[in-house]
Amino acid sequence: MLRLASSWVWDFWTADDGDRYHLFFLKASRALIDPDRRHWRATIGHATSTDLSSWTEHADAVLPDDSPNFDDLATWTGSVVRQDDGMWRMFYTAVSRAEGGLNQRISSVVSADLFTWHREPGRQVLAPDPQWYETAETRQWPDQAWRDPWVFRDGEIWHMLITARANHGDADDRGVVGHATSPDLKAWTVQPPLSQPGAGFGHIEVVQTVNVDGRPVGLFSCLGSELSRARRGDDPTGGVWAFPTDSLAGPFRTEESYRVTDEHLYVGRLVEDRAGHWQFLAFRNNDGKGGWVGEITDPQPVAWVDGRLTILEGSALARR
């Protein structure tokens, strides 16, 4: 488990250098007192582990840039991949002071060792295409959704899955999996979404797709307060969700999503351990008494049970 004495930690993503696991996570000082204030103070922390349980914290990986810049207020969730030249590239979400944190954009930094990260001159800053997606100006939601890039390669093409909202449909039911593609990790083209609005989610946060025991599956998170009225009427509980898919790169049937955990946990991630087994990690979202926790769990094994991805330990949190 990762719990920091001085900071809350929440959204996270991992990289594996073959020797150690690297955990990158959002963090903000506990001196803020109110955890709802954390979002505009978020930086990207860094820790390493050999077992996904015991973590050693290191210097922060990424901080907001100097003003004026698109990422001078806060840096949010992303993912890390390794380039063919051996360099590591971290994609992340950022917001700016000039826009009051309203406009979410995606860009990247590079590193030779996963410890020291550099902003490249002329790097691309990716924004939603209004042809398919809500923007800050057209949004029917409290904020613009264009964040949480999950990047992976399929053949010769790199894919980026993005928390996004369609530009049509009921205001509380526009959550979609946004999409962009690239031949080289540097030049990205925004594509149409990989799922359809109307699946029951105001937004589909922190998407991840992986092959678990040879079967592709997608994960995302959505709180009960951010479900559509129709889905909330059937079951008002949010948490971490899974959805079936035939391909890591979509299209996705998010209307078939099922809940893996309730809201005690959020931002579920699947990570393969050294034995080749898939483990589930998440951050502790609430304590069941109205309090927010802000720490990352120990790994829990997963398996397919009756065609659904299921957590084998801590199953009291899972929806059966």
Side-chain angles (χ1 to χ4, degrees):
M1 181 177 73
L2 178 68
R3 185 187 190 279
L4 301 183
S6 62
S7 301
W8 294 299
V9 298
W10 63 106
D11 294 19
F12 65 97
W13 55 102
T14 62
D16 183 356
D17 66 11
D19 180 34
R20 291 180 293 181
Y21 297 98
H22 293 254
L23 184 75
F24 300 95
F25 50 88
L26 303 192
K27 60 180 289 192
S29 174
R30 293 179 184 270
L32 293 169
I33 307 298
D34 179 1
D36 287 340
R37 300 174 62 199
R38 71 189 187 275
H39 299 290
W40 304 133
R41 278 95 170 169
T43 60
I44 298 175
H46 181 205
T48 57
S49 172
T50 58
D51 62 5
L52 296 173
S53 295
S54 299
W55 296 95
T56 300
E57 187 184 10
H58 303 285
D60 288 352
V62 180
L63 301 177
D65 203 356
D66 296 333
S67 295
N69 272 297
F70 77 97
D71 57 354
D72 62 11
L73 177 57
T75 49
W76 292 344
T77 311
S79 60
V80 173
V81 295
R82 197 166 200 175
Q83 302 179 164
D84 291 337
D85 63 3
M87 292 289 286
W88 297 89
R89 185 172 293 270
M90 180 192 299
F91 294 87
Y92 68 100
T93 312
V95 289
S96 73
R97 294 181 180 278
E99 296 161 333
L102 182 60
N103 295 65
Q104 299 173 8
R105 298 183 178 88
I106 294 168
S107 195
S108 65
V109 289
V110 294
S111 173
D113 60 6
L114 291 167
F115 286 87
T116 303
W117 297 86
H118 302 280
R119 290 172 166 90
E120 297 172 298
R123 64 198 170 124
Q124 185 179 8
V125 179
L126 198 65
D129 187 328
Q131 179 179 355
W132 300 297
Y133 300 102
E134 274 190 358
T135 65
E137 294 73 28
T138 64
R139 72 190 191 283
Q140 300 293 310
W141 197 247
D143 60 6
Q144 176 196 31
W146 190 255
R147 60 183 181 274
D148 311 329
W150 174 255
V151 175
F152 62 95
R153 181 155 56 184
D154 185 13
E156 297 299 314
I157 301 297
W158 290 93
H159 295 267
M160 181 186 295
L161 309 183
I162 304 166
T163 298
R165 280 173 49 87
N167 61 6
H168 63 281
D170 292 340
D172 67 347
D173 209 356
R174 292 188 176 190
V176 294
V177 180
H179 187 212
T181 56
S182 172
D184 59 5
L185 291 173
K186 296 181 180 180
W188 289 87
T189 301
V190 176
Q191 306 287 358
L194 292 170
S195 67
Q196 297 298 315
F201 304 97
H203 58 193
I204 293 174
E205 289 196 288
V206 198
V207 182
Q208 177 193 27
T209 57
V210 293
N211 282 306
V212 175
D213 299 334
R215 297 176 60 175
V217 65
L219 281 189
F220 69 92
S221 293
C222 186
L223 296 172
S225 59
E226 293 156 349
L227 300 174
S228 70
R229 275 194 305 274
R231 186 176 281 270
R232 204 163 53 235
D234 293 334
D235 183 346
T237 307
V240 181
W241 302 76
F243 58 86
T245 180
D246 299 321
S247 166
L248 300 184
F252 302 131
R253 306 184 299 276
T254 52
E255 67 278 5
E256 299 178 24
S257 300
Y258 54 92
R259 205 175 63 241
V260 177
T261 76
D262 65 18
E263 294 182 22
H264 286 83
L265 301 179
Y266 208 64
V267 182
R269 296 286 197 183
L270 293 167
V271 182
E272 190 173 17
D273 66 18
R274 289 286 177 260
H277 300 139
W278 285 93
Q279 305 288 337
F280 176 87
L281 291 85
F283 83 79
R284 298 190 185 280
N285 178 49
N286 68 58
D287 60 8
K289 303 175 183 177
W292 194 78
V293 182
E295 61 191 33
I296 296 172
T297 66
D298 283 332
Q300 299 177 83
V302 298
W304 292 101
V305 177
D306 297 329
R308 289 188 169 194
L309 189 74
T310 303
I311 300 170
L312 296 183
E313 296 180 7
S315 59
L317 296 174
R319 182 184 182 183
R320 297 295 186 178

